[in-house]
């Protein structure tokens, strides 16, 4: 029973990070119909920024700068590169995204070298004893709090603010929005910036749990979060969160009871089980939009 | 649609023609007067190697070949070997066996290297053994402790260098049997030759039933929660690790969080203190206190050791003063052994000549135990000494042991350590 | 019309003129393939062993890229998992070849049997994946095929006794037949094998895309509803496309096992699946010529970037930083630039060039 509790909490905490990362993917998909394959690499860039800033100052300043760097980086990538392929066939955007991944990994390797760097967690990952049982660690609490905060902020942004409404309008009906005076291009840039910032947050939280900071540190997280978004449904932010938590739990149980080697097979089974019943994810609202 | 197919086929042909003309144009050269040895001229010897310079296996390992090259440049500055400068072509294979195939062919067929030196990795290098054999290319000092390199009948040109995993496992188990008697022992290994050979060595001493639990990990899945949970449940007090540095650090961190505090005994492959401390950060470094490891080269932190002094000097002069860790020491030591072999092979260097020179053996260098090289054995160092981390330093303790990868006994080795010549060049 | 892939494929196909009906397509394709074969035969005698090996690698890639471009470009289904299908073919060939060698069975026919079995296994796996894929569109299909791609190491580890975990298997392949002479270079023999496989693949695919099935593929890609109304069984046709392309991937994987003399999970990682996709998009999606460009690029580009980096003379410190990383960055940059400058890929550029050539002879003359 102890073990079950441990694995559940561990799974929830990992799942929360996957949820945040999946959310970032969904944000971009909803506005541009692009699966941002470069999202992991972008998050790694912000983590390296945090690494450099932290080395010179304090952890939390590095944290804040990383999020800000995410905003800027997202905007730059959209304006500088993705804008040119948004109207092109979708696979061109995929190719550009993968090209960016290689470019970024090469560039980071040149600047920082290909060594794993120690990347600290914001707070201790040692579990606090509640009763006699080691339960949540301060790290888990920070993860839950920050992911919930991000979801709440995004929900408020998209449902309660003028900017948020414009962003949604620009995504769903760009032509009409443009006629109504919405600066569609600017909204897309904002969407990418937000998404990269959320990705940066997820990166800051998840990298300390792996082998350390490395140009490829987010590759596996990207793949896992991608499947999480597929499970939840690419058109639904709620789905991304549910998918993230579900995938986190499944990975934790399979790892704990059967061994980490089997996790890719478990992910495949989960995907097939969900998609054969609901081909557009758990939270597919309407039939997928015609393009 | 047929025009597309036609065009496709035409492109194949055109490309192939273009490649062929390019290839023909750089033919020729070379003096017809004497028998050419590939990669050897009167002034130069060219070596090649495949290393993981990028990708997940790059950390740490990417420094090795550069350190070897730095030692070559040190030797070159003193006039080289028999007047020939040593050149080293290092190519990246990203630890992907498919890439290794291509780059090794490029080194041998295109760059015409004299020999492949210190090619890194078991899965990567296994794939090119047959190719190197067919082309009669010396395949020297493979950077891996697999027993595969020691098959002189099958691969007469291939030589190992480092202490192999089985030997290390046998000696570690001997230490556990003597010093940690009565404790429950578990083994965690990488799921390839590294983990398997190491486990085989441990079991040769402790017996197949001498271990309470064994498990493996896959390098692509950075998560060891389940393995450690299993060991904890089995009540293991000593955990032997045949892990690469990243996973050693992951194991220590994960165990601390559980909390689970057995005595860890880690293979030299994944036990370098500086590499581990770099991974664990300031908060995690205390976890390394009391960690037991093993080694066949002098301790990196032992600044009074003449070998360390020599290699530190070379590192400062020719390797841009990179952080001096176990990888640098490894690379330089390989370079030292190679120069010894080249000197032994004589002025008229040939591919068969260097193979025979290594088979004669007798090289004394930085290693604390002798090489096993002979006509019938192509394995490298023959033993290790156990080390314990105290006060942030890995210190050797107890006796030096040697053994073989079979059922031979584990023997004490008591010859005094050698010191390098003042010039830092072997044989000088 | 629900799939985003469909729109893209539609664009890619927009340049394809309707087929002209003159004589027998099959005969014409046969003649072209035979011609190309003869030229390539002489080419392999001109190349040094390393270039022959590169040619062999490109030909092995071509088997996979050609099949993938038919699937993605013509039938409009995305696959990020072809690396796993290649692994299926490769491991089958490895196991069968080693069985033959263990039992002392020799002869050139053994390789043909192994490759055939490799294709068959990959086809069977492809059919299963294809059945699931036929229900899925866009990112959902991408997600499932991506998940398939990453199961390779998990399977080889779980079934350790058969596949030997991360280390993989070495593959026994007989040296070139003695009839060719004792000093016949192995690399030329490898090039022959791979070229035969590639030419056969191209020949079969060229006929397929020209056939009733090819037309059904395109009809479904362009508009599923219309295709269904026209009497095309949509799901069945999609599965067929997947199966065909899986068979090609199986052959390609088998050829890689033969060329590399070893198979291991890291040779068939997710990166391979992604690189195949990159190759056909950069080459020009949906055209077999584009697949040729793509396969050539997969071999030439890493070589080119590496030798470019070699040309630079740098301080040891800078060299250590750039080694391996600069080629990676240049490769990435090339992908981004080509996609922005030439959305139709290299074959799109060639078509544009050819059109300009035909359309503006006067302008050209003026320019001369």
């Amino acid at each position: 029973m102890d073990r079950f509790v441990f694995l559940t909490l561990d799974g929830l905490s990992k799942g929360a990070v996957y949820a945040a990362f999946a959310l970032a993917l969904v944000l971009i998909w909803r506005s541009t119909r692009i699966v941002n394959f470069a999202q992991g690499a972008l998050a790694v860039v912000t983590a390296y920024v945090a690494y450099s800033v932290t080395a010179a100052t304090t952890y939390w300043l590095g944290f804040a700068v990383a999020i800000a760097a995410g905003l800027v980086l997202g905007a730059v990538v959209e304006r500088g590169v993705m804008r040119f392929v948004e109207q092109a066939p979708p696979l061109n955007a995929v190719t550009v995204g993968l090209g960016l991944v290689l470019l970024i990994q090469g560039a980071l390797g040149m600047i920082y070298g290909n060594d794993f760097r120690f990347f600290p967690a914001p707070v201790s990952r040692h579990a606090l004893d509640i009763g006699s049982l080691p339960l949540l660690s301060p790290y888990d609490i920070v993860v839950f709090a920050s992911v919930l905060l991000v979801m709440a902020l995004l929900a408020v942004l998209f449902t309660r603010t003028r900017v948020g409404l414009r962003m949604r309008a620009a995504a769903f009906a760009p032509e009409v929005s443009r006629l109504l005076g919405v600066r569609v291009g600017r909204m897309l840039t904002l969407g990418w910036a937000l998404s990269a910032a959320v990705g940066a947050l997820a990166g800051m939280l998840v990298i300390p749990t792996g082998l350390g900071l490395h140009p490829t540190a987010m590759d596996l997280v990207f793949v896992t979060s991608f499947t999480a978004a597929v499970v939840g449904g690419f058109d639904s932010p709620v789905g991304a969160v549910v998918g993230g938590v579900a995938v986190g739990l499944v990975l934790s149980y399979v790892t704990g009871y059967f061994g980490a080697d089997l996790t890719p097979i478990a992910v495949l089974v989960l995907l097939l089980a969900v998609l054969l019943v609901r081909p557009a994810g758990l939270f597919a609202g309407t039939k997928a939009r015609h393009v | 649609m047929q025009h597309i197919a036609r065009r496709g086929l035409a492109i194949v042909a055109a490309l192939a023609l273009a490649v062929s003309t390019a290839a023909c144009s750089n033919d020729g050269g070379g003096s017809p007067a004497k028998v050419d040895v590939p990669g050897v001229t009167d002034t130069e010897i060219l070596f090649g190697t495949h290393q993981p310079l990028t990708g997940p296996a790059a950390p740490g390992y990417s420094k090795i070949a550069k350190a070897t090259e730095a030692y070559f440049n040190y030797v070159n500055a003193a006039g080289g070997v028999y007047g020939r400068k040593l050149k080293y072509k290092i190519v990246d294979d990203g630890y992907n066996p498919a890439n290794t195939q291509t780059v090794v062919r490029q080194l041998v067929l295109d760059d015409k290297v004299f020999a492949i030196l210190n090619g890194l990795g078991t899965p990567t290098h296994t794939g090119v053994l047959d190719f190197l054999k067919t082309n009669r290319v010396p395949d020297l000092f493979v950077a891996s402790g697999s027993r595969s390199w020691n098959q002189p009948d099958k691969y007469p040109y291939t030589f190992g260098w480092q202490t192999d995993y089985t030997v290390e496992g046998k000696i570690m188990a001997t230490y556990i049997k003597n010093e940690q008697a009565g404790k429950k022992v578990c083994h965690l290994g990488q799921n390839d030759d590294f983990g398997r050979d190491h486990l085989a060595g441990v079991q040769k001493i402790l017996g197949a039933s001498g271990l309470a639990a064994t498990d493996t990990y896959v390098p692509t899945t950075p998560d060891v929660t389940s393995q450690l949970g299993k060991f904890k449940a089995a009540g293991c007090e000593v955990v032997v690790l045949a892990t690469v540095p990243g996973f050693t650090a992951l194991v220590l961190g994960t165990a601390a969080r559980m909390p689970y505090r057995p005595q860890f005994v880690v293979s030299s492959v994944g036990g370098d203190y500086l590499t581990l401390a770099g991974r664990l950060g300031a908060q995690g470094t205390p976890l390394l206190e009391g960690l037991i490891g093993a080694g066949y080269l002098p301790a990196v932190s032992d600044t009074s050791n003449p070998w360390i002094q020599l290699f530190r000097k070379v590192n400062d002069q020719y390797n841009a003063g990179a952080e001096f860790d176990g990888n640098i020491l490894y690379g330089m030591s390989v370079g030292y052994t190679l120069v010894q072999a080249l000197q032994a092979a004589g002025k008229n260097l040939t591919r068969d000549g260097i193979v025979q020179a290594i088979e004669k053996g007798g090289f004394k260098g930085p290693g604390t135990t002798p090489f096993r090289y002979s006509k019938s054995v192509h394995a490298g160092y023959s033993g290790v000494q156990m080390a314990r981390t105290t006060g942030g330093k890995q210190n050797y303790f107890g006796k030096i042991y040697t053994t073989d990868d079979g059922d031979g006994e584990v023997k004490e080795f008591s010859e005094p350590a050698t010191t390098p010549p003042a010039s830092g060049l072997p044989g000088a | 019309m629900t799939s985003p892939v469909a729109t893209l494929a539609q664009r890619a196909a927009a340049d394809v003129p309707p087929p002209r009906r003159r004589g027998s397509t099959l005969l014409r394709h046969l003649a072209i393939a035979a011609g190309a074969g003869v030229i390539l035969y002489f080419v392999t005698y001109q190349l040094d062993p390393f270039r022959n090996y590169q040619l062999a690698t490109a030909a092995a890639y071509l088997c996979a890229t050609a099949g993938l471009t038919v699937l993605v470009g013509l039938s409009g289904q995305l696959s990020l998992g072809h690396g796993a299908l290649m692994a299926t073919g490769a491991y089958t060939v490895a196991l069968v070849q080693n069985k033959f060698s263990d039992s002392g069975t020799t002869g050139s026919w053994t390789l043909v049997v192994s490759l055939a079995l490799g294709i068959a296994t990959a086809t069977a796996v492809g059919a299963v994946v294809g059945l699931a894929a036929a229900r899925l569109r866009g990112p959902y299909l991408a997600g499932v095929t991506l998940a398939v791609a990453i199961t390779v190491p998990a399977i080889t580890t779980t079934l350790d006794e058969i596949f030997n975990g991360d280390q993989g298997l070495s593959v026994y392949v007989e040296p070139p037949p003695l009839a060719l002479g004792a000093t016949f270079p192995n690399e030329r023999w490898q090039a022959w094998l791979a070229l035969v496989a590639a030419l056969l693949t191209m020949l079969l695919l060229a006929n397929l895309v020209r056939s009733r099935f090819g037309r059904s593929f395109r009809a479904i890609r362009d508009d599923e509803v219309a295709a269904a109304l026209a009497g095309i069984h949509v799901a069945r046709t999609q599965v067929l496309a997947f199966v065909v392309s899986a068979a090609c991937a199986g052959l390609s994987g088998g050829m890689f096992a033969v060329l590399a003399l070893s198979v291991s999970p890291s040779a068939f990682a997710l990166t391979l699946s992604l690189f195949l996709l990159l190759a056909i998009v950069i080459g020009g999606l949906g055209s077999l010529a584009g697949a040729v460009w793509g396969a050539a690029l997969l071999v030439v580009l890493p070589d080119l970037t590496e030798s470019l980096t070699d040309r630079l003379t740098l301080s040891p410190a800078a060299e250590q930083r750039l080694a391996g990383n600069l080629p990676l960055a240049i490769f990435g940059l090339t992908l981004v630039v080509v996609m922005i400058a030439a959305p139709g890929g290299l074959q799109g550029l060639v078509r544009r060039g050819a059109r300009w050539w035909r359309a503006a002879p006067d302008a050209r003359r003026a320019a001369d």
Side-chain angles (χ1 to χ4, degrees), chain C residues 313-343:
Chain C
T313 35
L314 299 156
S315 69
E319 203 181 310
Q320 193 152 1
R321 284 172 176 279
L322 297 191
N325 292 315
L326 189 60
L328 205 63
I330 295 176
F331 191 41
L333 192 64
T334 312
L335 291 177
V336 174
V337 170
V338 170
M339 270 300 96
I340 290 175

Tab-separated table of all heavy atoms in Angstrom, chain C residues 313-343:
chain	number	residue	atom	x	y	z
C	313	THR	N	40.133	25.712	-39.771
C	313	THR	CA	41.244	25.500	-38.839
C	313	THR	C	40.980	26.351	-37.607
C	313	THR	O	40.741	27.546	-37.707
C	313	THR	CB	42.594	25.882	-39.460
C	313	THR	OG1	42.380	26.995	-40.306
C	313	THR	CG2	43.184	24.741	-40.233
C	314	LEU	N	40.992	25.700	-36.468
C	314	LEU	CA	40.555	26.362	-35.245
C	314	LEU	C	41.492	26.022	-34.108
C	314	LEU	O	42.267	25.083	-34.181
C	314	LEU	CB	39.146	25.868	-34.872
C	314	LEU	CG	38.050	26.144	-35.884
C	314	LEU	CD1	36.937	25.150	-35.708
C	314	LEU	CD2	37.526	27.554	-35.729
C	315	SER	N	41.369	26.778	-33.047
C	315	SER	CA	42.114	26.453	-31.830
C	315	SER	C	41.531	25.181	-31.241
C	315	SER	O	40.363	24.864	-31.486
C	315	SER	CB	41.982	27.595	-30.824
C	315	SER	OG	40.659	27.641	-30.348
C	316	PRO	N	42.324	24.415	-30.463
C	316	PRO	CA	41.808	23.160	-29.899
C	316	PRO	C	40.527	23.360	-29.111
C	316	PRO	O	39.596	22.554	-29.181
C	316	PRO	CB	42.942	22.688	-28.982
C	316	PRO	CG	44.144	23.448	-29.376
C	316	PRO	CD	43.717	24.676	-30.104
C	317	ALA	N	40.459	24.484	-28.353
C	317	ALA	CA	39.271	24.716	-27.531
C	317	ALA	C	38.041	24.894	-28.407
C	317	ALA	O	36.993	24.287	-28.176
C	317	ALA	CB	39.483	25.941	-26.652
C	318	ALA	N	38.176	25.723	-29.457
C	318	ALA	CA	37.035	25.972	-30.340
C	318	ALA	C	36.670	24.703	-31.084
C	318	ALA	O	35.489	24.379	-31.258
C	318	ALA	CB	37.385	27.084	-31.322
C	319	GLU	N	37.693	23.940	-31.503
C	319	GLU	CA	37.447	22.728	-32.260
C	319	GLU	C	36.634	21.732	-31.436
C	319	GLU	O	35.714	21.088	-31.912
C	319	GLU	CB	38.790	22.112	-32.636
C	319	GLU	CG	38.734	21.213	-33.843
C	319	GLU	CD	40.093	20.624	-34.126
C	319	GLU	OE1	41.072	21.410	-34.172
C	319	GLU	OE2	40.171	19.407	-34.263
C	320	GLN	N	36.982	21.660	-30.140
C	320	GLN	CA	36.284	20.750	-29.252
C	320	GLN	C	34.811	21.128	-29.131
C	320	GLN	O	33.943	20.276	-29.064
C	320	GLN	CB	36.938	20.797	-27.874
C	320	GLN	CG	36.500	19.675	-26.974
C	320	GLN	CD	37.581	19.327	-25.975
C	320	GLN	OE1	38.640	19.942	-25.946
C	320	GLN	NE2	37.333	18.339	-25.150
C	321	ARG	N	34.547	22.435	-29.144
C	321	ARG	CA	33.161	22.885	-29.053
C	321	ARG	C	32.385	22.570	-30.327
C	321	ARG	O	31.222	22.193	-30.289
C	321	ARG	CB	33.116	24.399	-28.827
C	321	ARG	CG	33.449	24.783	-27.424
C	321	ARG	CD	33.581	26.283	-27.297
C	321	ARG	NE	33.817	26.618	-25.919
C	321	ARG	CZ	32.882	26.704	-25.003
C	321	ARG	NH1	31.617	26.499	-25.332
C	321	ARG	NH2	33.165	26.995	-23.754
C	322	LEU	N	33.049	22.750	-31.471
C	322	LEU	CA	32.328	22.635	-32.736
C	322	LEU	C	32.170	21.192	-33.192
C	322	LEU	O	31.224	20.875	-33.900
C	322	LEU	CB	33.059	23.427	-33.819
C	322	LEU	CG	33.141	24.934	-33.582
C	322	LEU	CD1	33.651	25.631	-34.829
C	322	LEU	CD2	31.780	25.505	-33.207
C	323	ALA	N	33.103	20.317	-32.787
C	323	ALA	CA	33.084	18.945	-33.283
C	323	ALA	C	31.719	18.320	-33.071
C	323	ALA	O	31.193	18.309	-31.962
C	323	ALA	CB	34.155	18.124	-32.570
C	324	GLY	N	31.131	17.803	-34.124
C	324	GLY	CA	29.835	17.148	-34.015
C	324	GLY	C	28.683	18.127	-33.955
C	324	GLY	O	27.637	17.918	-34.557
C	325	ASN	N	28.857	19.229	-33.227
C	325	ASN	CA	27.750	20.161	-33.035
C	325	ASN	C	27.500	21.038	-34.252
C	325	ASN	O	26.352	21.295	-34.614
C	325	ASN	CB	28.022	21.061	-31.820
C	325	ASN	CG	27.993	20.274	-30.540
C	325	ASN	OD1	27.097	19.457	-30.338
C	325	ASN	ND2	28.966	20.481	-29.683
C	326	LEU	N	28.600	21.498	-34.876
C	326	LEU	CA	28.429	22.364	-36.035
C	326	LEU	C	27.710	21.642	-37.174
C	326	LEU	O	26.757	22.190	-37.742
C	326	LEU	CB	29.793	22.919	-36.477
C	326	LEU	CG	29.719	24.011	-37.544
C	326	LEU	CD1	28.926	25.210	-37.039
C	326	LEU	CD2	31.106	24.464	-37.950
C	327	PRO	N	28.107	20.396	-37.505
C	327	PRO	CA	27.353	19.680	-38.545
C	327	PRO	C	25.864	19.578	-38.217
C	327	PRO	O	25.012	19.760	-39.091
C	327	PRO	CB	28.001	18.291	-38.563
C	327	PRO	CG	29.366	18.495	-38.050
C	327	PRO	CD	29.282	19.627	-37.075
C	328	LEU	N	25.565	19.323	-36.943
C	328	LEU	CA	24.165	19.208	-36.515
C	328	LEU	C	23.426	20.519	-36.782
C	328	LEU	O	22.321	20.532	-37.343
C	328	LEU	CB	24.147	18.894	-35.013
C	328	LEU	CG	22.946	18.186	-34.441
C	328	LEU	CD1	22.809	16.813	-35.046
C	328	LEU	CD2	23.091	18.073	-32.929
C	329	ALA	N	24.063	21.628	-36.380
C	329	ALA	CA	23.427	22.931	-36.543
C	329	ALA	C	23.246	23.265	-38.021
C	329	ALA	O	22.194	23.770	-38.430
C	329	ALA	CB	24.262	23.998	-35.846
C	330	ILE	N	24.272	22.947	-38.835
C	330	ILE	CA	24.156	23.253	-40.269
C	330	ILE	C	23.023	22.441	-40.891
C	330	ILE	O	22.233	22.952	-41.685
C	330	ILE	CB	25.490	22.940	-40.995
C	330	ILE	CG1	26.595	23.876	-40.492
C	330	ILE	CG2	25.327	23.097	-42.497
C	330	ILE	CD1	27.950	23.582	-41.089
C	331	PHE	N	22.928	21.187	-40.502
C	331	PHE	CA	21.857	20.318	-40.998
C	331	PHE	C	20.487	20.933	-40.659
C	331	PHE	O	19.611	21.056	-41.528
C	331	PHE	CB	22.001	18.932	-40.362
C	331	PHE	CG	21.133	17.875	-40.974
C	331	PHE	CD1	20.956	17.814	-42.345
C	331	PHE	CD2	20.503	16.936	-40.181
C	331	PHE	CE1	20.173	16.832	-42.916
C	331	PHE	CE2	19.704	15.946	-40.736
C	331	PHE	CZ	19.535	15.898	-42.104
C	332	GLY	N	20.335	21.349	-39.403
C	332	GLY	CA	19.070	21.947	-38.983
C	332	GLY	C	18.763	23.208	-39.761
C	332	GLY	O	17.639	23.408	-40.248
C	333	LEU	N	19.764	24.048	-39.911
C	333	LEU	CA	19.576	25.306	-40.622
C	333	LEU	C	19.166	25.051	-42.063
C	333	LEU	O	18.276	25.720	-42.602
C	333	LEU	CB	20.881	26.113	-40.554
C	333	LEU	CG	20.772	27.568	-41.004
C	333	LEU	CD1	19.852	28.325	-40.061
C	333	LEU	CD2	22.143	28.218	-41.016
C	334	THR	N	19.811	24.042	-42.689
C	334	THR	CA	19.465	23.704	-44.068
C	334	THR	C	17.985	23.352	-44.187
C	334	THR	O	17.290	23.803	-45.104
C	334	THR	CB	20.310	22.503	-44.545
C	334	THR	OG1	21.669	22.755	-44.206
C	334	THR	CG2	20.176	22.295	-46.023
C	335	LEU	N	17.498	22.546	-43.242
C	335	LEU	CA	16.086	22.143	-43.279
C	335	LEU	C	15.188	23.371	-43.238
C	335	LEU	O	14.245	23.514	-44.027
C	335	LEU	CB	15.771	21.237	-42.084
C	335	LEU	CG	16.405	19.866	-42.087
C	335	LEU	CD1	16.062	19.114	-40.815
C	335	LEU	CD2	15.932	19.079	-43.296
C	336	VAL	N	15.485	24.278	-42.297
C	336	VAL	CA	14.642	25.457	-42.126
C	336	VAL	C	14.673	26.304	-43.396
C	336	VAL	O	13.623	26.710	-43.928
C	336	VAL	CB	15.111	26.278	-40.907
C	336	VAL	CG1	14.337	27.570	-40.803
C	336	VAL	CG2	14.967	25.457	-39.635
C	337	VAL	N	15.869	26.553	-43.907
C	337	VAL	CA	16.005	27.435	-45.067
C	337	VAL	C	15.324	26.835	-46.291
C	337	VAL	O	14.568	27.519	-46.997
C	337	VAL	CB	17.498	27.712	-45.348
C	337	VAL	CG1	17.670	28.413	-46.685
C	337	VAL	CG2	18.093	28.546	-44.230
C	338	VAL	N	15.553	25.530	-46.537
C	338	VAL	CA	14.943	24.912	-47.720
C	338	VAL	C	13.423	24.985	-47.636
C	338	VAL	O	12.745	25.315	-48.612
C	338	VAL	CB	15.406	23.443	-47.865
C	338	VAL	CG1	14.583	22.736	-48.931
C	338	VAL	CG2	16.866	23.374	-48.218
C	339	MET	N	12.885	24.723	-46.450
C	339	MET	CA	11.427	24.722	-46.318
C	339	MET	C	10.834	26.106	-46.554
C	339	MET	O	9.744	26.248	-47.095
C	339	MET	CB	11.031	24.224	-44.928
C	339	MET	CG	10.839	22.735	-44.837
C	339	MET	SD	9.561	22.102	-45.920
C	339	MET	CE	10.490	21.569	-47.327
C	340	ILE	N	11.557	27.143	-46.124
C	340	ILE	CA	11.025	28.490	-46.303
C	340	ILE	C	11.221	28.945	-47.747
C	340	ILE	O	10.336	29.536	-48.363
C	340	ILE	CB	11.692	29.461	-45.308
C	340	ILE	CG1	11.202	29.121	-43.893
C	340	ILE	CG2	11.374	30.897	-45.644
C	340	ILE	CD1	11.860	29.911	-42.797
C	341	ALA	N	12.370	28.610	-48.316
C	341	ALA	CA	12.676	29.066	-49.670
C	341	ALA	C	11.978	28.222	-50.728
C	341	ALA	O	11.573	28.731	-51.772
C	341	ALA	CB	14.185	29.055	-49.888
C	342	ALA	N	11.808	26.936	-50.468
C	342	ALA	CA	11.226	26.045	-51.469
C	342	ALA	C	10.205	25.128	-50.810
C	342	ALA	O	10.520	23.985	-50.496
C	342	ALA	CB	12.329	25.221	-52.141
C	343	PRO	N	8.991	25.640	-50.589
C	343	PRO	CA	7.981	24.841	-49.865
C	343	PRO	C	7.672	23.517	-50.550
C	343	PRO	O	7.208	22.593	-49.903
C	343	PRO	CB	6.753	25.745	-49.848
C	343	PRO	CG	7.261	27.112	-50.151
C	343	PRO	CD	8.487	26.957	-50.983
